[in-house]
Amino acid sequence: MGVIPVSVVIVSRGRPQALRLCLTAVAQLDHPRFEVIVVACPEGAAAVASRPDADRIKLVPFDTPNISAARNLGIAHAAGEVVAFLDDDAVPEPTWLGHLCAPFEAAEVSAAGGYVRGRNGIDYQWTARRVNGRAEEAPLVLGGMEAQVFAPKPGQAVKLQGTNMAHRRSVLAGLGGFDPAYRFFLDDTDLDLRLAAAGHTVAVVPRAQVQHGYAESARRGADRTPRDLTEIGASLAVFLRRHCPEAERGAAWLTFRAAQRRRLLEYMRRGPLGPDDVLRLLAGLDRGYRDGEERPLSEPEPIGPAKTPFLPFPGRPGAPRDALVGRLWNRRKMRVEAARLAGLGHVVSVFRFSHTALYHQMSFRPEGYWEQTGGLWGRSVRSGRIIRPCLFKSRVHAEVERVAEIRGSSQKESDLLLQAQN
């Protein structure tokens, strides 16, 4: 079987800097046949136009605060057999698309989702979960990192995250894509339940990974402090009307509201929010819920064939992998070399450790390389030991091995570059 062509859809509004970083990472994907579709506001469109590969990106202008409508525009222009979705404040690992789309080689698989790492680039933000018609989620145990396929079950679905999911276009278009009644929040969960109700099979792919930055928006601050919960309340009301028996909706709403209140009180305890902020945000949540109860509902219309032909994006299939390792005082030298190698088309990982027990962070830099920093004796995975006595070389090898399966790093290369740095 040949390589399945994939359309990667990215929706962006008001976050051009995050979009630039996202596209820089997308340009390093090692999948051999994909296109990139960006549905963006004027700021995002300008960010796309400023890139040297702008002529290889399908740009769809859209400046309305409705993520479902924006994603549907992306689907309308998607000419791939599979449509993958990525948020503008996320960066994919180079192997992301290849892992995510591998299950579609089986004809029965209609959708797939991967794992999402949080802002520190190491700990998981989302893994495998199920969801029901009350919008209640529960862990889905896989027992390893191999992809696993799940048949639909009545009243529940595999929960796919909008920042790391893919759908067979024929199925997605036939279902009408995303429901525009969800302007923000639960649009992907609604689609999950519609897929399950229609009897479609879904794959969970742990090795398909992205890092989600939670960039600032009108709804949250840079530190994730909530600014407005109105659309969250409205989307929940729409979701419960769609999927929850009427007799259970009141209880589901109260459970959700109580959870949101606890979340806000935790922010107040930590300092970002005051009592008046909590009251204001809860009032917005309530107002949104009332609006969602009255919002007109209709069945999404099927989406037709792609409006534009497939536009291959170059990516970096088969790109060399480099690992630069060193100590704190080598920072400038390593960054210069990493940027040089990334400019040559390599996938580059930098591992830089200080003689401390600081926790580790992994980030993707605008220059186009990955960088892990932290203390030689500090935690990387947060469930590990707080203090980890070790030698420099053994710690480097352990961290390179930890990311090798996802990024495609080579232990042999890291040995050579380790010697060069010491």
Side-chain angles (χ1 to χ4, degrees):
M1 179 182 292
V3 176
I4 297 175
V6 184
S7 300
V8 177
V9 173
I10 305 166
V11 171
S12 184
R13 190 168 189 271
R15 300 194 293 206
Q17 186 173 351
L19 177 62
R20 289 189 186 96
L21 188 66
C22 174
L23 289 172
T24 299
V26 167
Q28 296 191 8
L29 292 175
D30 62 7
H31 195 279
R33 194 177 180 197
F34 71 99
E35 65 175 1
V36 177
I37 302 163
V38 176
V39 184
C41 66
E43 288 177 292
V48 172
S50 68
R51 293 182 55 84
D53 54 11
D55 62 332
R56 309 306 301 172
I57 297 173
K58 291 182 180 179
L59 177 62
V60 183
F62 187 72
D63 197 21
T64 301
N66 187 315
I67 193 169
S68 295
R71 283 175 170 162
N72 287 346
L73 279 176
I75 298 167
H77 286 268
E81 292 181 28
V82 170
V83 184
F85 294 89
L86 188 67
D87 285 355
D88 63 353
D89 61 347
V91 289
E93 289 282 356
T95 61
W96 166 67
L97 199 59
H99 285 308
L100 183 64
C101 295
F104 291 97
E105 294 180 4
E108 68 271 16
V109 173
S110 295
Y115 281 12
V116 180
R117 295 189 185 268
R119 297 178 73 171
N120 65 28
I122 296 173
D123 286 334
Y124 287 120
Q125 195 176 85
W126 292 301
T127 53
R129 302 186 71 80
R130 285 194 183 276
V131 66
N132 62 23
R134 293 166 60 104
E136 297 169 335
E137 297 183 20
L140 183 61
V141 179
L142 298 188
M145 295 295 287
E146 297 300 323
Q148 191 167 331
V149 176
F150 293 88
K153 291 187 176 181
Q156 60 178 281
V158 175
K159 177 73 175 75
L160 304 182
Q161 297 296 339
T163 190
N164 185 359
M165 64 181 180
H167 294 263
R168 198 175 294 277
R169 191 191 189 280
S170 57
V171 173
L172 182 61
L175 289 173
F178 297 86
D179 186 346
Y182 301 91
R183 298 170 190 166
F184 166 74
F185 188 59
L186 292 176
D187 59 313
D188 45 8
T189 312
D190 169 79
L191 179 59
D192 295 336
L193 283 166
R194 287 193 284 134
L195 279 168
H200 293 291
T201 298
V202 175
V204 177
V205 192
R207 291 191 180 94
Q209 297 192 8
V210 304
Q211 180 178 328
H212 189 214
Y214 268 124
E216 184 176 7
S217 71
R219 294 174 297 275
R220 62 173 179 253
D223 62 352
R224 296 179 60 180
T225 301
R227 291 175 173 171
D228 186 2
L229 301 181
T230 306
E231 281 300 329
I232 287 180
S235 288
L236 180 70
V238 171
F239 183 88
L240 295 178
R241 290 167 64 194
R242 289 286 199 195
H243 302 289
C244 184
E246 186 172 1
E248 300 177 16
R249 291 175 195 166
W253 157 241
L254 291 176
T255 299
F256 182 87
R257 189 185 189 279
Q260 291 296 309
R261 181 177 180 274
R262 288 193 298 271
R263 182 169 74 104
L264 296 176
L265 290 175
E266 177 60 21
Y267 276 106
M268 187 177 76
R269 185 190 66 79
R270 285 161 39 195
L273 295 178
D276 289 345
D277 296 315
V278 172
L279 293 174
R280 172 182 57 80
L281 288 164
L282 286 174
L285 183 70
D286 294 339
R287 184 171 59 254
Y289 188 80
R290 292 192 298 270
D291 174 70
E293 288 184 306
E294 303 297 327
R295 190 168 288 179
L297 301 181
S298 60
E299 293 302 317
E301 294 289 332
I303 299 172
K307 294 182 176 181
T308 49
F310 193 83
L311 179 63
F313 190 84
R316 292 188 185 175
R321 262 60 168 179
D322 295 318
L324 298 177
V325 298
R327 305 172 193 267
L328 182 64
W329 53 83
N330 287 328
R331 175 175 59 185
R332 186 176 183 279
K333 179 181 178 181
M334 285 190 293
R335 285 182 167 176
V336 169
E337 178 64 4
R340 184 187 74 84
L341 290 169
L344 294 174
H346 295 211
V347 173
V348 184
S349 301
V350 172
F351 299 86
R352 177 171 56 81
F353 306 129
S354 60
H355 287 80
T356 67
L358 290 173
Y359 287 4
H360 288 216
Q361 305 279 332
M362 175 71 78
S363 62
F364 184 73
R365 293 184 57 83
E367 297 85 355
Y369 61 87
W370 298 85
E371 183 177 59
Q372 181 173 332
T373 60
L376 177 60
W377 307 294
R379 283 180 175 177
S380 52
V381 178
R382 298 306 191 255
S383 60
R385 296 168 61 184
I386 296 178
I387 303 294
R388 181 176 173 175
C390 60
L391 297 175
F392 181 81
K393 188 170 184 177
S394 63
R395 183 61 191 272
V396 166
H397 286 180
E399 295 302 321
V400 170
E401 286 182 354
R402 185 180 60 79
V403 301
E405 186 176 29
I406 304 303
R407 193 164 305 147
S409 302
S410 164
Q411 186 65 56
K412 180 180 178 181
E413 289 171 326
S414 73
D415 286 337
L416 295 173
L417 289 163
L418 173 63
Q419 294 170 12
Q421 292 292 328
N422 284 299

